Amino acid sequence: MVQVKNICCVGAGYVGGPTCAVIAYKCHHIKVTIVDLNQARIDAWNSNKLPIYEPGLEEVVLARRGKNLFFSTNVDAAIQEADLIFVSVNTPTKKTGLGAGMAADLAYIEGATRRIAEIAKSSKIVVEKSTVPCRTAESMRTILEANSTGEIHFDILSNPEFLAEGTAVQDLLHPDRVLIGALQTPEGIKAQKALVEVYKNWVPEDRVITTNLWSSELSKLAANAMLAQRISSINALSAICEATGADVDEVAYACGRDSRLGPKFLKASVGFGGSCFQKDILNLVYLSRQLNLPEVADYWHQVVLMNEFQKKRFVKKIISTLFNTITNKRIAVLGFAFKKDTGDTRESAAITLIKDFIQENAHVAIYDPKVEHEQIYMDLTEPGVVDTRKQVERQITICSSAYEAAKGADAVVVVTEWDEFKSDRLDYKKIYDNMHKPAFLFDGRLLVDANKLRQIGFKLHIVGKNELNGIA
């Protein structure tokens, strides 16, 4: 069996960076080099301000950087040295061409695979770490085998990540499971065992699951699709709750007490975001259509359609409550990240909401404790033939506190569930006093204490609850 002493990770993003930093942290005998062609990103990994905000990540990186953890732009040298190579590059949804809007763009995966094939001077284990459609490893294998010789042999493994942003380091240190898929050949199983040995340095053996290559690839898409499905299910029920006077928190609690269901991912909201859920479901939809399974494709597509419906429904409620117009009104948006404890904004519900507010000619004041200002501008502008940056800059203000955002506002909209927006952390009386009256507050995250805020004087709308609050 190959003993792994040197690991290279191609891609220093949200997955590769934290994953390989934790491997270095737990396996002092293994040299780990994370490589990326983006010089600025590598410089950030080598600085005191890491390019990613994750609780606990800084301690892990600083403990091992320069000892057995290295960040470099010298991709070729790292590939040549490594026994095992993680391919952890971006797999965005295609914007143009066949499968646009649904299929994953595998250009970066293919580029990295070709690079490995060209550069390698010895046998390598190549591990697919990026989230990819089922059977992507087949194309990687074809490229690598076409470049194999008598002396150089490539084995392919699938080792999908199951990280949740905001808890990624804890997820890596104490995973529910580590999944490693391999071709069921003697060489494939040997390579699989080599990676199992790496994880066994800190993960209990019963949590390391070994499967065939295709099961591993599909399991990642399936897990995310089923989690997103639960959110869309409770969000669909939240619309019924608002119409009937049921309370979505009580419904979710009652359902969650059923041990077959459990309580997780049953929190109604303005909609899910993040880099994975929508992308992975659309991948699954596209895969189903390619496999001539239209009913399966339609089933999963409905999860995404329900998520879009929830966001649009929330916007409509805001506009109708504000007397059917928000033109020239100041709307304070609290939160821009797709969820708390991360600076990541990919597919954030805030983007959809604010773009709709801009279309309605509102003035939007935004506050988020972690998201960089430039990121907000990038997410809200539409690059292309017409650059909308100037219009966006005219209509939005990025603020340094919730109080600044809410000053002179007609409505406050809670979009991200940051702890600092909770009723016992934020002085809502102060916010109320500085707003136009009537002062409206729309809670898209079930975060605020409704009774307390109504007593202050707020006109309140909470997703999944209606104003009667069960009294009629």
Side-chain angles (χ1 to χ4, degrees), residues 220-468:
K220 165 67 179 176
L221 296 183
N224 275 346
M226 289 171 120
L227 290 171
Q229 181 192 39
R230 279 175 74 101
I231 298 171
S232 278
S233 296
I234 198 68
N235 282 345
L237 290 167
S238 77
I240 298 174
C241 288
E242 287 170 36
T244 58
D247 181 320
V248 75
D249 271 338
E250 292 175 350
V251 172
Y253 180 72
C255 293
R257 288 305 296 263
D258 185 327
S259 59
R260 295 167 303 173
L261 289 170
K264 291 185 176 174
F265 280 76
L266 287 180
K267 189 80 170 167
S269 69
V270 65
F272 62 74
S275 61
C276 289
F277 282 0
Q278 181 163 312
K279 183 180 86 169
D280 289 358
I281 294 171
L282 292 175
N283 244 320
L284 203 53
V285 171
Y286 185 70
L287 179 68
S288 303
R289 291 203 176 132
Q290 294 294 95
L291 298 172
N292 200 24
L293 298 167
E295 293 83 0
V296 176
D298 291 347
Y299 175 80
W300 287 113
H301 196 203
Q302 197 57 44
V303 174
V304 175
L305 295 180
M306 178 52 62
N307 195 49
E308 290 307 307
F309 167 74
Q310 184 76 343
K311 290 185 273 191
K312 296 298 181 190
R313 193 172 74 80
F314 195 61
V315 169
K316 278 183 187 165
K317 181 70 182 178
I318 292 169
I319 294 170
S320 65
T321 305
L322 290 173
F323 317 112
N324 290 313
T325 179
I326 57 172
T327 300
N328 293 327
K329 289 180 180 173
R330 182 177 169 101
I331 311 288
V333 173
L334 301 188
F336 195 87
F338 83 89
K339 69 173 186 180
K340 72 172 185 176
D341 294 335
T342 177
D344 194 353
T345 63
R346 286 177 287 183
E347 303 296 343
S348 172
I351 298 170
T352 307
L353 265 58
I354 294 166
K355 282 184 175 178
D356 284 355
F357 296 156
I358 289 170
Q359 290 273 299
E360 294 286 336
N361 295 311
H363 296 292
V364 188
I366 304 163
Y367 167 65
D368 187 284
K370 279 287 168 214
V371 179
E372 301 285 345
H373 291 194
E374 187 54 34
Q375 186 63 50
I376 294 175
Y377 284 121
M378 278 169 59
D379 287 332
L380 294 176
T381 48
E382 299 283 353
V385 183
V386 182
D387 188 1
T388 57
R389 172 88 182 217
K390 284 193 166 49
Q391 184 202 348
V392 167
E393 284 176 354
R394 274 198 306 274
Q395 285 186 250
I396 72 165
T397 310
I398 300 173
C399 303
S400 57
S401 73
Y403 302 113
E404 185 191 335
K407 192 169 187 180
D410 295 272
V412 170
V413 185
V414 180
V415 187
T416 310
E417 71 281 21
W418 288 102
D419 289 341
E420 68 177 81
F421 300 153
K422 287 180 177 173
S423 308
D424 55 352
R425 298 276 295 272
L426 205 57
D427 184 348
Y428 278 99
K429 177 74 172 76
K430 180 177 171 183
I431 283 178
Y432 176 79
D433 289 343
N434 286 318
M435 285 176 69
H436 288 155
K437 307 297 182 295
F440 295 98
L441 188 138
F442 299 88
D443 181 1
R445 290 287 173 181
L446 300 173
L447 199 69
V448 301
D449 179 335
N451 291 333
K452 185 176 169 185
L453 266 62
R454 284 198 177 101
Q455 281 168 7
I456 290 170
F458 281 102
K459 303 281 184 204
L460 211 56
H461 169 73
I462 300 175
V463 75
K465 307 188 182 204
N466 77 12
E467 286 71 17
L468 295 170

